Amino acid sequence: MTIFQLRQQWLQGEMIKRGWSGFLVTHHVDIYYYCGSMQTGYLFIPAEGEALYLVRRSLIRAEEEASADVEALGSWKTLAERLRARCAAAADAPLWIATELDVLPVQLFGKLQAALPGAAWEDGSLLVREQRMIKSPDEVAAIREAARVVDAALEAVIPHIREGMAEFELMALIEHQLRLRGHQGLMRMRAYNSELITGMVATGAAAAVPTYFDGPAGGTGLHPSSPQSSGRALLVRGEPILVDIGCMVDGYLIDQTRTLVIGDLDPELQHAYDVAEQVLRATEAKLQPGMIAEHLYLLALDQVQEAGLSAHFMGYGADQVKFLGHGIGLEIDELPVLAKGFKYPLAPDMVIAIEPKFTFPGRGVVGVEDTYLITDSGWEKLTISREGLIRV
């Protein structure tokens, strides 16, 4: 039995508890998670029995890859009949179907409702996201390899960093080295209208420019049509260079931040950087099964307040973000989130990125980020790049 079929079985057990007839998986990342293929179509997992992957294209690829029965999608007029045939319910019994309403477009949902008249719909998105919090050994292995690639790429680029280099030049060097080592070139996000390239590489005041992206550092980007990350600002001696980068290997992501500087930081920024490391160390000390995700964020807030840096923590002013870290896997913004209101207890095989950072408008952003695997007794750091402020 494949890992994909085991995931389907777990989901089926949860559906039986809830009285659902089946789960119609529409989001391409979730389709991959449950069947190992990402072709255009819909994966129907009945509460009992074999999953059915209805594919628009490429049917040939899906047949080669998927841990499910594969059929051509065909006419929407036959959808109700085909899905009901997979369900154990009586022919006249109502269908209770779950799907990922957090990402499903309203127009498509309307089309599904029309194709399945009389069906009752449930939002199963949280159930899927909670299942995906716990990583298998193969998932962890892919994330660990992505961390190795990020480290090797960063070390290959550091000797070439020079004063007067543009941000986008540095980003291009990093991306080139990442791709040479197997980075797939994507950084997937689940949140609506959220996009992410390989990461955020920005220097000085440009790094502190706010943007729509839900993070402590924005960056100007090259154009208002893509208003984040690297722009045309030049690297200047004494200014912090924030290198917040990721990498995807076999579909799985790593997230890592290092602060670099040509020469030395001024004392206030150096102090803020030191506090960021102290927050990370204090958070590590609490990383263990049973710790509530929210508590780690609240503890960090107390530590930052004591250091007198609350106004700069994770952004500035109205653009401060309200989290310390996030789950990571197939997407960059997975559960659990280390933020107020998230009551999830940490559990073995969760993978979490922790990123204390401080934003100083007009001056820059400093901080650090590492990714951790929660183990039975504590944690393992998956990111392996050298620690500390990197002087170049």
Side-chain angles (χ1 to χ4, degrees):
M1 183 173 292
T2 69
I3 184 64
F4 306 107
Q5 290 166 323
L6 290 172
R7 291 168 182 165
Q8 294 170 22
Q9 282 193 353
W10 183 92
L11 186 62
Q12 287 176 319
E14 295 299 313
M15 285 192 282
I16 290 171
K17 292 177 189 177
R18 292 163 171 78
W20 296 349
S21 309
F23 200 116
L24 187 64
V25 187
T26 66
H27 188 47
H28 63 171
V29 175
D30 293 338
I31 290 173
Y32 171 78
Y33 180 77
Y34 284 112
C35 81
S37 183
M38 198 184 279
Q39 300 304 307
T40 302
Y42 308 96
L43 177 68
F44 184 67
I45 304 173
E48 299 178 61
E50 299 297 317
L52 175 64
Y53 192 12
L54 297 169
V55 179
R56 178 174 290 115
R57 65 172 298 170
S58 164
L59 188 65
I60 293 173
R61 283 286 298 271
E63 289 172 339
E64 293 173 349
E65 298 167 345
S67 290
D69 294 339
V70 177
E71 295 179 7
L73 176 60
S75 172
W76 280 74
K77 295 179 181 179
T78 66
L79 187 62
E81 177 184 349
R82 296 163 79 183
L83 297 194
R84 183 174 287 281
R86 289 275 158 168
C87 296
D92 57 348
L95 289 178
W96 287 81
I97 299 176
T99 191
E100 314 108 306
L101 292 182
D102 65 328
V103 291
L104 183 64
V106 173
Q107 185 180 55
L108 178 55
F109 185 43
K111 189 175 181 180
L112 289 170
Q113 288 177 308
L116 297 165
W121 292 87
E122 300 282 351
D123 185 4
S125 54
L126 185 59
L127 183 61
V128 171
R129 297 188 71 196
E130 289 177 341
Q131 182 180 3
R132 284 176 47 190
M133 286 194 300
I134 306 301
K135 304 301 190 287
S136 69
D138 285 348
E139 290 178 294
V140 174
I143 297 170
R144 186 176 281 113
E145 174 61 12
R148 187 198 66 78
V149 169
V150 160
D151 178 57
L154 182 61
E155 290 298 327
V157 167
I158 285 174
H160 301 283
I161 296 175
R162 68 185 188 280
E163 194 170 1
M165 172 185 283
E167 290 174 339
F168 72 85
E169 290 182 76
L170 176 54
M171 182 58 132
L173 289 177
I174 292 172
E175 288 182 303
H176 179 63
Q177 291 298 325
L178 287 170
R179 293 304 300 273
L180 288 176
R181 291 167 170 81
H183 172 42
Q184 290 172 259
L186 298 173
M187 297 285 286
R188 291 192 170 105
M189 295 192 70
R190 194 175 190 90
Y192 178 67
N193 270 353
S194 290
E195 298 173 316
L196 191 63
I197 50 174
T198 300
M200 158 77 178
V201 174
T203 184
V209 172
T211 189
Y212 77 94
F213 183 75
D214 192 24
T220 62
L222 289 170
H223 189 267
S225 63
S226 181
Q228 61 167 299
S229 190
S230 304
R232 294 178 173 83
L234 304 181
L235 275 54
V236 176
R237 179 171 295 273
E239 291 188 345
I241 306 165
L242 194 73
V243 180
D244 182 349
I245 53 175
C247 170
M248 178 193 281
V249 172
D250 295 342
Y252 287 86
L253 302 167
I254 195 71
D255 201 0
Q256 170 186 293
T257 300
R258 293 294 183 266
T259 300
L260 286 66
V261 64
I262 301 171
D264 296 296
L265 292 176
D266 73 52
E268 186 178 10
L269 293 180
Q270 180 66 59
H271 172 65
Y273 177 81
D274 293 340
V275 172
E277 286 206 336
Q278 291 164 16
V279 170
L280 191 63
R281 299 287 90 83
T283 304
E284 288 176 349
K286 300 291 185 180
L287 277 183
Q288 55 187 342
M291 171 59 68
I292 303 302
E294 173 188 59
H295 291 176
L296 293 171
Y297 175 64
L298 297 177
L299 289 169
L301 289 182
D302 290 341
Q303 192 174 358
V304 168
Q305 184 177 23
E306 186 177 343
L309 288 168
S310 296
H312 300 274
F313 185 54
M314 302 299 285
Y316 187 83
D319 294 299
Q320 280 184 302
V321 295
K322 307 299 183 182
F323 67 88
L324 174 65
H326 52 89
I328 191 168
L330 287 167
E331 294 165 317
I332 202 79
D333 52 347
E334 295 194 358
L335 297 176
V337 183
L338 306 187
K340 191 173 181 179
F342 287 83
K343 307 294 187 180
Y344 294 104
L346 301 188
D349 301 320
M350 288 181 175
V351 177
I352 301 170
I354 302 171
E355 52 173 319
K357 293 168 184 165
F358 295 95
T359 300
F360 294 82
R363 300 173 67 191
V365 181
V366 296
V368 63
E369 179 178 21
D370 282 312
T371 298
Y372 299 84
L373 171 69
I374 306 302
T375 66
D376 291 334
S377 58
W379 52 270
E380 174 193 348
K381 188 165 70 172
L382 298 180
T383 41
I384 60 173
S385 287
R386 61 170 111 164
E387 296 183 351
L389 181 69
I390 299 176
R391 291 179 172 84
V392 295

